[in-house]
Amino acid sequence: VSVPVDANMFIPGSGEMSDLTRWKNWSETPLGPASQWPQSLVTALGVALSSKFPMLLLWGPELICFYNDAFKPSLGQDGKHPSILGLPLEKSWAALWHIIKPLYDQILSGEESTCQEDQLVPIFRNGMIEEAYWTFSHSAVYDESRKIAGILLTCSETTGKKIMARELEESNQLFKPAPGFRADGSFEGNIGSSGDFNQQVDSLKKAEASEQELKSIVLESPVGICIIDAFTLLCELVNQRFVAVAGKPFEAIIGHSYLDTFAEARPYHEKALAGVIKNGLPFYADEMELMLFRQGKEENIIVTFVYAPLKDIEARVRKVAIWVIENTTQEKARQDIRDSDERLRELNERLVIATEGTHMGIWDLDIATKTLVHSPRFAQIFGYPETTKLTTRSQMRAHVHPEDLQEIVENAFAEALQTGIYFYEARIFHLDKSLRWIRIRGKILFDENNIPERMLGTIIDITEARHAEQMRGRIAAIVESSDDAIISKTFEGIVTSWNKAAERIFGYAPEEMIGQSITKLIPQDRLEEEPRIIEGLKQGRRFDHFETKRITKDKKILDISLTISPVRDSSGKLIGAAKIARDITEQKKIEKLVKANEEKFRLLADSMPQFVWTGDHQGNLNYFNKTVYDYSGLTAAQVQAGAWIQIVHPEDRQENIKRWQHAVATGEDFLFEHRFQRHDGVYRWQLSRAVAQRDDKGQIQMWVGTSTDIDDIKRQEQQKDDFIRMASHELKTPVTTIKGYIQLLVSMQKEQQQTLQSAALFKVDKQVNKLTKLINDLLDLTRIETGGLQLEQRRYPISEVIHEVISDIGLVAGSHRIDLLLSDDPMVFVDKDRIEQVFVNLITNAIKYSPKADQVILKVYGQDDQVVIAITDFGIGISAGDEEKIFERFYRVEGKDEKTYPGFGIGLFIVREILELHGGKVWVSSQLNRGSTFYVSLPVSKNKSQ
Ligand code: ADP
């Protein structure tokens, strides 16, 4: 059933209930169509629907229900709303009718308006019947004929308060107080719970009466009163005055912990309260100033208050009564302040709005008190959230960089006091320790006596600007000090900046170039380059190390490497180009030279019959001359890929790698004989040698190596060795035979006293002996080389060996005296013949190479587990360079006296080989023309077996 909208448009309001009322089809109700309602109903309905207080309007003898939006919650979530709209009260509250009816009859009969506080009117809501308390005020509504036509019910639910009060009452039963105030304001309950029954009933009555009395005293008192439980500190009772002083809603106090409710004032009262509860003595505070959040705002108030303990019969403190009077009497003054605050705030807000876009903070400093008022941005600039208030100047100054505080801030302030104008830029630290720059501007306001009163000003964070400035400065410095020409130009090719290096390289001073076309620098034949570059730049392209030629003021052509990048303005628009020009003329020259040198080296290396190769500092081979490729038949790629080792004979590879790694690791020269495979598969011996190339600091830069074909030499050597072996072998038999016959002849001659022949035979014998020694040496040599030298070792005292040698040689060497100094005589485990051969060789050499001397000294001494025999002569000596070489086979020191000393250079070689077979050593220390000492060391034999 619909009703024309405009029909009920007179019903006021915009809420849900106004709508529902307008849209309801009233013709179905006893009230009839809305258009025909009496004016009184329309007026009353208007009042109800536009009220913010919960209201219920009952109209006509049937008490038809109307209600407003504020009333809805009282009907519960799924209760009577909206069904009771337009229903008679009897139907809508059928269950309660018996309670309500008399009330309404009373009103309808014309009695005064009534007010009922905390009436229990259970209602059905939230799916159940709930206990609810209400404070009602009913007033009759009269119609045009001055008869009561309806009832307007204003109500508020007091369920919470009622339940609280009831609980308080219940708990009060515990200690049935008979309270009395003492002169000091403390409150004492002296309760009899013992004694006879009558007395108890009596005191119970009395207690009830005084409880009631207490409540009325409390609730009506002009003094703020609050009763809290001594154990829980929950606030149990509180009067209107206390609520006013507290400046917090009643609900925020009652039933809550006193400490939590006044958390902001804890420092003032927590201890005092605890003391009262503990000691049972009242606490007074006279005109104490404290801060409370009243109506959500920080307020400093002055109060006088008493904490009075309420004790039970056992004198335990059960409750604490708090009495409070506010002394902040300058209510008017405060209002004034609030008003002016308000004005200031408005002004401030306007300023804030005006400045917010500029990221500027605003501040207002009271010069006398140094207190500060500021906009939210101000706090942000110091790194706080914008809600933070810095209330004093010192709070702000605590952030200023210590170095800037005196120098900049204080000075600026002192100056401001003189000039009235405050200005500075200084560094501050944020809470997170980050460094920022601020700029402060301010103006002093003077009072009528010309005394500085306030200072108003702005603050702005200039960190970014500072950084940008510093960056610009740095960049400018870099540009100026650069070795490369740095030039900027427009897209039209007009030079806009020109640094020192540009002047140096091209010869033009800035004033000769800035504003001029860049083409001044471009040689005729390259002029077409410029448009091409500009085209690229306009597309945002960058040119990196573009090599070209440019011309200087004195017409010199330079090789130039250009790096050109497009330049954009802060909005990203291309506006020109920055150009870095490097003079590479010199570099080009060097490059050419290097190339030429490299070419030369390559030609040289390639034309050599030897292999030439190089390796990096880690020993990786990276270059081979052409000879290597020609020889091996491998391609450059194959050899360089590491395949070079494939050329080396498989039997030599392992040792080759080992030696190469050793050389690379130690930096020692690499020297190795190995076989390389030729392209036809034949292996040939090569002698390779590589030397590390070092830089100034001795660091290895690279390795340079060569390999020389020694295959033919090797073969010849082999042939020679073979020949010697064969010849000495073949010679031995005939010489031995000759020797036998000579000895036979000598003995025969001796018998026949034929001195002439005997002298001749003696000479022949001597020559044959020499020949025999030579053959024996050669045989030894070949034995050593083929590994055929066998030892027959036994234990002897060293002296036995040496004595034998000396007596043998002494016979032949009449020219020299042989002195023996024996300081030790250990056992040695040796092949006696061979060791004798060693000493014979050394002593004969000592004699042979000291023709002008007449003495050879032998010293024998122990050293660690060795015995050392030193043979010293006073002869020609050996130069340092030859000391090692003389032990090589066939090595003889070359000199002008060469012919004087016959020999083959085999003796010392054999000496060394024999000693090495014995685990011994030989070395020499000598001075040219002074003499030599040859040292022999042999291991001392400790037991029979060795
Ligand atoms: P040689 O048969 O030439 O003596 P060795 O092998 O015994 O051969 O010696 C090699 C070379 O060492 C000699 O040619 C000589 O130059 C040098 N030499 C050996 N002993 C001495 C010494 N006591 N004083 C100086 N030079 C010596």
Side-chain angles (χ1 to χ4, degrees):
V1 188
S2 73
V3 170
V5 177
D6 49 0
N8 297 338
M9 277 316 282
F10 64 88
I11 296 170
S14 58
E16 184 193 359
M17 289 318 298
S18 297
D19 284 336
L20 286 173
T21 311
R22 268 198 291 272
W23 285 89
K24 191 165 176 68
N25 189 348
W26 291 101
S27 35
E28 288 176 359
T29 69
L31 292 177
S35 53
Q36 288 162 27
W37 288 351
Q39 186 53 45
S40 49
L41 170 56
V42 175
T43 310
L45 191 59
V47 169
L49 286 176
S50 51
S51 168
K52 293 286 174 244
F53 290 100
M55 284 190 182
L56 179 71
L57 178 67
L58 305 165
W59 197 263
E62 300 86 351
L63 298 172
I64 301 295
C65 293
F66 294 89
Y67 58 97
N68 66 0
D69 284 350
F71 193 82
K72 273 188 313 189
S74 320
L75 297 171
Q77 273 166 5
D78 49 2
K80 298 171 187 305
H81 169 72
S83 61
I84 66 161
L85 177 65
L87 276 189
L89 183 63
E90 190 176 1
K91 278 194 195 150
S92 52
W93 258 292
L96 300 174
W97 186 237
H98 62 284
I99 304 174
I100 310 168
K101 176 82 162 74
L103 202 68
Y104 283 77
D105 285 343
Q106 202 183 336
I107 296 164
L108 290 173
S109 68
E111 284 205 41
E112 293 276 341
S113 298
T114 59
C115 175
Q116 268 108 9
E117 275 199 52
D118 301 335
Q119 290 293 310
L120 173 67
V121 184
I123 67 166
F124 179 81
R125 60 179 176 193
N126 308 324
M128 58 189 271
I129 298 281
E130 274 187 20
E131 183 183 356
Y133 289 86
W134 306 84
T135 291
F136 297 101
S137 136
H138 303 87
S139 37
V141 183
Y142 294 86
D143 68 5
E144 289 79 350
S145 53
R146 302 204 53 77
K147 282 210 315 251
I148 294 172
I151 300 168
L152 184 63
L153 176 135
T154 318
C155 62
S156 59
E157 189 173 346
T158 54
T159 311
K161 183 173 130 200
K162 183 66 196 170
I163 288 171
M164 187 64 63
R166 194 179 57 200
E167 278 168 9
L168 172 63
E169 232 162 88
E170 279 163 12
S171 76
N172 278 350
Q173 297 299 322
L174 275 174
F175 70 110
K176 309 172 186 90
F181 295 110
R182 289 218 201 106
D184 64 4
S186 69
F187 197 68
E188 188 176 84
N190 49 353
I191 312 297
S193 63
S194 57
D196 70 321
F197 181 67
N198 279 335
Q199 207 183 337
Q200 273 191 33
V201 174
D202 197 32
S203 52
L204 190 63
K205 272 190 190 148
K206 253 205 231 152
E208 264 164 7
S210 47
E211 165 103 33
Q212 209 42 54
E213 197 183 342
L214 168 67
K215 268 180 110 178
S216 56
I217 290 169
V218 165
L219 294 173
E220 263 110 74
S221 172
V223 177
I225 299 175
C226 171
I227 310 279
I228 61 174
D229 185 273
F231 300 103
T232 61
L233 300 184
L234 292 182
C235 176
E236 295 182 337
L237 186 64
V238 65
N239 72 351
Q240 220 33 61
R241 192 61 214 144
F242 189 90
V243 172
V245 175
K248 298 174 198 286
F250 172 80
E251 301 81 56
I253 304 172
I254 194 84
H256 292 283
S257 157
Y258 185 76
L259 289 183
D260 291 345
T261 307
F262 297 102
E264 67 271 31
R266 252 183 206 229
Y268 304 106
H269 62 222
E270 183 167 19
K271 257 226 196 99
L273 197 55
V276 170
I277 293 164
K278 188 159 170 252
N279 307 323
L281 296 173
F283 171 84
Y284 307 93
D286 211 8
E287 303 221 334
M288 179 185 270
E289 189 176 349
L290 50 80
M291 190 279 285
L292 278 189
F293 284 113
R294 305 219 287 193
Q295 276 81 40
K297 268 193 285 169
E298 243 179 57
E299 266 188 77
N300 285 316
I301 59 167
I302 299 169
V303 285
T304 295
F305 62 88
V306 181
Y307 289 154
L310 304 185
K311 298 175 186 169
D312 65 9
I313 182 80
E314 271 123 33
R316 276 183 311 219
V317 178
R318 304 300 293 257
K319 294 182 193 277
V320 176
I322 299 161
W323 313 78
V324 61
I325 300 168
E326 183 171 359
N327 309 72
T328 332
T329 45
Q330 311 89 330
E331 197 51 45
K332 167 101 180 56
R334 295 199 324 151
Q335 194 51 47
D336 284 354
I337 291 168
R338 238 179 266 142
D339 286 354
S340 68
D341 265 6
E342 185 64 25
R343 272 202 303 282
L344 195 70
R345 203 172 54 79
E346 252 174 48
L347 187 73
N348 203 40
E349 245 158 45
R350 247 179 280 153
L351 263 171
V352 168
I353 292 164
T355 53
E356 215 56 0
T358 66
H359 301 290
M360 202 177 253
I362 297 170
W363 50 270
D364 178 353
L365 176 74
D366 183 319
I367 291 178
T369 62
K370 312 264 192 288
T371 51
L372 199 63
V373 182
H374 60 77
S375 69
R377 173 73 65 191
F378 185 90
Q380 277 182 324
I381 287 175
F382 286 92
Y384 295 95
E386 61 173 45
T387 48
T388 306
K389 294 267 172 262
L390 303 175
T391 54
T392 62
R393 190 179 66 166
S394 47
Q395 264 180 298
M396 177 223 140
R397 289 210 170 171
H399 287 274
V400 175
H401 193 295
E403 283 171 18
D404 294 352
L405 197 57
Q406 183 63 42
E407 277 295 302
I408 297 176
V409 180
E410 295 279 16
N411 284 353
F413 191 75
E415 204 182 307
L417 292 178
Q418 303 293 315
T419 61
I421 301 293
Y422 192 37
F423 176 84
Y424 68 81
E425 289 181 356
R427 291 167 293 175
I428 58 159
F429 289 108
H430 266 194
L431 280 183
D432 62 7
K433 302 274 184 294
S434 60
L435 187 79
R436 312 285 302 175
W437 277 91
I438 54 164
R439 176 187 296 148
I440 292 270
R441 270 181 216 283
K443 199 169 156 51
I444 291 189
L445 304 183
F446 297 89
D447 69 5
E448 56 273 23
N449 303 319
N450 219 17
I451 305 283
E453 190 181 32
R454 284 167 63 194
M455 182 134 86
L456 290 177
T458 58
I459 180 170
I460 184 163
D461 185 316
I462 53 162
T463 313
E464 304 310 324
R466 274 272 173 163
H467 283 172
E469 209 172 280
Q470 275 175 357
M471 190 54 94
R472 267 199 297 280
R474 240 175 272 156
I475 291 172
I478 292 169
V479 166
E480 269 318 281
S481 61
S482 166
D483 255 356
D484 295 334
I486 300 178
I487 304 162
S488 55
K489 62 175 187 187
T490 65
F491 280 137
E492 289 70 47
I494 302 300
V495 173
T496 52
S497 81
W498 186 256
N499 73 342
K500 276 212 185 83
E503 179 173 353
R504 183 175 50 74
I505 293 172
F506 297 107
Y508 292 104
E511 53 276 16
E512 290 175 280
M513 279 311 291
I514 291 175
Q516 299 283 315
S517 171
I518 193 84
T519 49
K520 235 170 138 175
L521 303 176
I522 306 179
Q524 281 298 318
D525 57 336
R526 288 188 185 252
L527 274 174
E528 92 295 345
E529 252 175 24
E530 185 66 9
R532 202 156 50 78
I533 291 172
I534 302 256
E535 216 27 66
L537 289 170
K538 279 186 176 162
Q539 285 158 22
R541 237 184 84 204
R542 192 185 134 102
F543 295 81
D544 258 326
H545 303 297
F546 169 67
E547 289 192 5
T548 180
K549 293 192 189 289
R550 290 291 179 262
I551 191 159
T552 68
K553 192 179 176 185
D554 45 14
K555 304 282 171 270
K556 234 174 59 202
I557 300 281
L558 298 180
D559 285 302
I560 292 285
S561 160
L562 285 182
T563 295
I564 315 174
S565 3
V567 173
R568 296 165 194 273
D569 65 10
S570 54
S571 67
K573 206 177 111 217
L574 289 164
I575 51 166
K579 185 182 250 189
I580 300 179
R582 172 168 301 177
D583 180 356
I584 52 166
T585 314
E586 217 35 51
Q587 187 184 322
K588 280 263 150 176
K589 257 191 226 158
I590 293 170
E591 256 171 41
K592 252 185 221 157
L593 208 71
V594 168
K595 248 201 194 133
N597 278 349
E598 219 176 81
E599 195 58 29
K600 222 186 273 175
F601 162 75
R602 235 169 250 283
L603 276 174
L604 195 72
D606 285 348
S607 61
M608 276 168 55
Q610 272 97 344
F611 297 169
V612 179
W613 38 272
T614 64
D616 63 17
H617 69 285
Q618 293 173 313
N620 305 308
L621 300 193
N622 50 18
Y623 165 80
F624 301 89
N625 67 346
K626 192 162 160 289
T627 323
V628 175
Y629 306 122
D630 290 349
Y631 176 86
S632 64
L634 297 177
T635 66
Q638 282 171 317
V639 175
Q640 239 124 36
W644 64 269
I645 192 72
Q646 303 304 319
I647 308 173
V648 178
H649 193 288
E651 279 171 22
D652 303 338
R653 266 180 215 165
Q654 211 179 337
E655 185 66 12
N656 189 153
I657 292 171
K658 206 177 101 191
R659 298 249 193 142
W660 181 234
Q661 283 171 344
H662 176 78
V664 170
T666 59
E668 289 169 15
D669 289 359
F670 170 77
L671 194 65
F672 191 50
E673 284 180 15
H674 43 182
R675 285 157 284 179
F676 284 173
Q677 190 176 33
R678 206 164 53 188
H679 53 84
D680 58 1
V682 172
Y683 281 99
R684 290 180 66 82
W685 280 99
Q686 301 272 350
L687 172 65
S688 291
R689 191 189 178 89
V691 180
Q693 306 297 307
R694 295 166 192 270
D695 62 12
D696 316 340
K697 288 177 202 131
Q699 292 287 323
I700 293 177
Q701 298 294 91
M702 64 183 297
W703 288 85
V704 175
T706 55
S707 306
T708 311
D709 192 311
I710 52 164
D711 204 70
D712 294 341
I713 300 172
K714 271 249 165 189
R715 206 182 317 282
Q716 284 161 13
E717 222 165 81
Q718 190 61 49
Q719 283 167 356
K720 185 191 71 196
D721 287 353
D722 291 349
F723 170 77
I724 292 171
R725 190 171 57 242
M726 190 204 68
S728 50
H729 206 82
E730 292 303 317
L731 281 171
K732 192 165 168 108
T733 322
V735 171
T736 314
T737 314
I738 293 169
K739 171 101 179 152
Y741 281 106
I742 290 173
Q743 270 165 3
L744 183 66
L745 284 174
V746 168
S747 58
M748 281 165 65
Q749 288 299 322
K750 264 188 187 157
E751 282 165 22
Q752 291 162 20
Q753 309 275 308
Q754 288 175 333
T755 35
L756 184 71
Q757 286 97 324
S758 139
L761 272 179
F762 181 73
K763 275 185 185 159
V764 173
D765 185 41
K766 222 176 139 189
Q767 294 307 317
V768 171
N769 276 345
K770 268 191 192 168
L771 193 58
T772 312
K773 182 177 181 324
L774 175 62
I775 291 169
N776 282 335
D777 279 356
L778 285 174
L779 277 173
D780 282 347
L781 187 72
T782 52
R783 277 197 203 110
I784 286 166
E785 278 177 351
T786 53
L789 196 70
Q790 298 295 329
L791 297 184
E792 279 180 40
Q793 280 169 289
R794 294 165 76 176
R795 296 179 88 233
Y796 305 94
I798 187 74
S799 59
E800 190 181 321
V801 185
I802 290 175
H803 279 131
E804 227 156 277
V805 175
I806 293 176
S807 65
D808 279 359
I809 291 181
L811 296 176
V812 252
S815 55
H816 288 69
R817 187 176 82 240
I818 300 169
D819 293 341
L820 174 66
L821 296 168
L822 197 74
S823 64
D824 204 356
D825 186 17
M827 297 293 281
V828 286
F829 183 66
V830 295
D831 181 323
K832 198 167 162 222
D833 286 344
R834 290 293 175 194
I835 291 301
E836 278 180 11
Q837 192 184 346
V838 163
F839 291 119
V840 167
N841 267 338
L842 291 174
I843 296 168
T844 35
N845 273 352
I847 293 167
K848 182 161 83 176
Y849 295 104
S850 63
K852 291 179 186 143
D854 59 357
Q855 189 192 15
V856 172
I857 305 170
L858 255 75
K859 280 187 195 156
V860 181
Y861 53 92
Q863 195 170 69
D864 303 331
D865 48 358
Q866 308 275 318
V867 57
V868 178
I869 303 94
I871 300 118
T872 305
D873 67 55
F874 305 93
I876 61 169
I878 304 156
S879 68
D882 285 326
E883 280 182 1
E884 258 306 300
K885 291 183 185 153
I886 53 171
F887 296 99
E888 288 169 18
R889 55 176 203 169
F890 303 128
Y891 189 87
R892 308 201 67 235
V893 176
E894 310 236 327
K896 46 185 188 327
D897 300 334
E898 194 184 1
K899 293 225 165 61
T900 335
Y901 312 105
F904 288 96
I906 314 173
L908 287 180
F909 176 75
I910 293 172
V911 163
R912 196 175 63 181
E913 292 300 320
I914 291 174
L915 284 171
E916 274 177 10
L917 284 173
H918 281 87
K921 263 191 203 137
V922 60
W923 66 99
V924 66
S925 136
S926 178
Q927 256 186 314
L928 214 53
N929 301 322
R930 283 285 189 72
S932 317
T933 300
F934 280 80
Y935 297 90
V936 168
S937 76
L938 277 169
V940 168
S941 165
K942 300 240 168 64
N943 52 52
K944 301 249 147 85
S945 64
Q946 50 150 0

